Amino acid sequence: MSDGGTAPFPLAVLASGEGTNLQALLDSVHGHEAEVVGVASDRPGARALERARAAGVSTATFPAAEFPDRAARDEAMAAWLVERGARAAVLAGYMALLTPGFLGCFPAGVLNVHPSLLPAFPGLRAVEQAVAHGAHVFGVTVHFVDEGVDTGPIVAQRAVELPDATDPAEVLAALRPLEHDLLPKAVRRLAAGTLPAPPTTR
Amino acid sequence: MSDGGTAPFPLAVLASGEGTNLQALLDSVHGHEAEVVGVASDRPGARALERARAAGVSTATFPAAEFPDRAARDEAMAAWLVERGARAAVLAGYMALLTPGFLGCFPAGVLNVHPSLLPAFPGLRAVEQAVAHGAHVFGVTVHFVDEGVDTGPIVAQRAVELPDATDPAEVLAALRPLEHDLLPKAVRRLAAGTLPAPPTTR
């Protein structure tokens, strides 16, 4: 329960992979403006889970194979996170779509960080898409999640000019520091209540 | 006729409006790497025409109303420009689509400058689209023109972060200097033959 605004904002993080954005949150806002109360993953082997445990944060895995369908998986995941007190969620490299039921459990919003300047290059392999398109400017977007694929309202964006980019891995490496700067800033604003209202998905 | 590479590259410019990008070309590459051999407009009242005349550049207008269809208008416009020796064309605020027949008359390519980070926000009122979408990063793209709407290969892009933008006019004002820097640089590369080949449209 909140003690009236002085307690850190209780936050869930979902991650599927390496977890560098989770680490950025753990190293910055965690224990200050926000408290990461649980890290959930669809992949039991995700390195993000190790990072959470190393920071003393509870973890749980929800592999699709263990549930009859996506709705059931998302329901179980939301229940675990809400039980831990989470009022918002951050997708930090979480690679699956979320059901409206999941989104509805987090009234303060669900944030995602995406490695393109949305609305350009939504979906998977965004950096590869951008390189293949011949983009000279790349960037990252933090946005509220809605029921579409990377379609929700934009919260923050940063850009980097890489006019000679041909290697997606190099572009991604250039984008990482932007993500690690932008996402904690967005979470601080979420915790402070200074973001616009999230989209309604119910 | 070329004297083997030392003469300025003969360039056509198409403009519909104010002509600030034309002015940027007249003030930079014109008479140096490139020679603007003619400025064509679909609008007789375009301020761009005055700018051309002030620089001693020939002008002609091709209003749609004076031709049976777009193909006839574009054919007449291309004929006038080719007769003046143009080998490439630059759309500097030219607000009409061009026929494949027009594009085919300029083997070195047709360049356009567009006020968004393509592929985001193609078409008319790009800045208004971006502001309405809630973009935090804006930008300009120079690209080769093909038969689509702002779909051709990207030649250059520049971005500016305006996270609090709500006024399209202010965003456009912020983008103008980027256009005026980027377009002459692209024309220099075109004249020097260091751009990738333009798309084939025939």
Side-chain angles (χ1 to χ4, degrees):
Chain A
M1 296 300 127
S2 168
D3 65 358
T6 56
F9 185 91
L11 191 71
V13 175
L14 274 60
S16 299
E18 188 61 23
T20 65
N21 278 308
L22 167 64
Q23 192 67 55
L25 293 174
L26 292 172
D27 292 344
S28 57
V29 295
H30 179 59
H32 302 282
E33 298 91 340
E35 180 80 21
V36 179
V37 297
V39 172
S41 180
D42 54 333
R43 298 189 190 163
R47 168 96 171 89
L49 297 169
E50 292 173 42
R51 295 180 189 268
R53 286 183 213 117
V57 173
S58 298
T59 65
T61 59
F62 300 86
E66 294 184 6
F67 297 91
D69 56 23
R70 190 159 65 94
R73 188 258 298 273
D74 283 8
E75 194 178 319
M77 190 159 62
W80 183 78
L81 293 166
V82 167
E83 191 184 358
R84 308 202 59 76
R87 289 175 48 213
V90 171
L91 314 189
Y94 182 73
M95 291 303 191
L97 278 177
L98 291 166
T99 56
F102 181 94
L103 299 176
C105 290
F106 300 94
V110 178
L111 291 177
N112 184 38
V113 55
H114 181 82
S116 82
L117 293 169
L118 293 171
F121 312 119
L124 295 175
R125 303 181 70 82
V127 172
E128 285 85 346
Q129 289 182 56
V131 169
H133 192 86
H136 287 216
V137 172
F138 299 82
V140 303
T141 303
V142 176
H143 65 95
F144 278 121
V145 176
D146 64 12
E147 293 165 54
V149 175
D150 302 320
T151 50
I154 292 169
V155 166
Q157 285 184 313
R158 292 275 305 277
V160 58
E161 298 178 1
L162 299 168
D164 303 313
T166 55
D167 180 355
E170 281 179 23
V171 174
L172 202 55
L175 295 182
R176 286 291 187 218
L178 305 189
E179 293 183 346
H180 300 166
D181 178 57
L182 212 57
L183 185 58
K185 282 181 179 165
V187 167
R188 277 193 194 98
R189 293 180 59 203
L190 183 75
T194 59
L195 283 184
T200 53
T201 55
R202 279 75 70 189
Chain B
M1 297 300 130
S2 168
D3 65 357
T6 57
F9 185 91
L11 191 72
V13 176
L14 274 60
S16 299
E18 188 61 23
T20 65
N21 277 309
L22 167 64
Q23 193 67 56
L25 293 174
L26 292 172
D27 293 344
S28 57
V29 295
H30 179 59
H32 302 281
E33 297 92 339
E35 180 81 20
V36 180
V37 297
V39 172
S41 179
D42 54 334
R43 298 190 188 162
R47 168 97 173 86
L49 296 169
E50 293 174 40
R51 295 180 189 267
R53 287 181 212 115
V57 173
S58 298
T59 65
T61 59
F62 300 86
E66 293 184 8
F67 297 90
D69 56 23
R70 191 160 64 96
R73 187 258 297 273
D74 283 8
E75 193 178 318
M77 191 159 62
W80 183 78
L81 292 166
V82 167
E83 191 183 356
R84 307 202 60 76
R87 289 176 48 213
V90 171
L91 313 190
Y94 182 73
M95 292 303 191
L97 278 177
L98 292 165
T99 57
F102 182 95
L103 299 176
C105 290
F106 300 94
V110 178
L111 290 177
N112 184 39
V113 56
H114 181 82
S116 81
L117 292 169
L118 292 171
F121 313 119
L124 295 175
R125 303 180 71 80
V127 173
E128 286 85 345
Q129 289 183 56
V131 169
H133 192 86
H136 287 217
V137 172
F138 299 82
V140 303
T141 303
V142 176
H143 65 96
F144 278 120
V145 176
D146 63 13
E147 293 165 54
V149 176
D150 302 322
T151 50
I154 293 169
V155 166
Q157 285 184 313
R158 290 277 304 278
V160 59
E161 298 179 2
L162 300 167
D164 304 312
T166 55
D167 180 354
E170 282 180 22
V171 174
L172 203 55
L175 296 182
R176 286 292 187 216
L178 304 189
E179 293 182 347
H180 300 166
D181 177 58
L182 212 56
L183 185 58
K185 282 181 178 165
V187 167
R188 276 193 195 100
R189 293 179 59 201
L190 183 75
T194 60
L195 283 185
T200 53
T201 55
R202 280 74 69 186

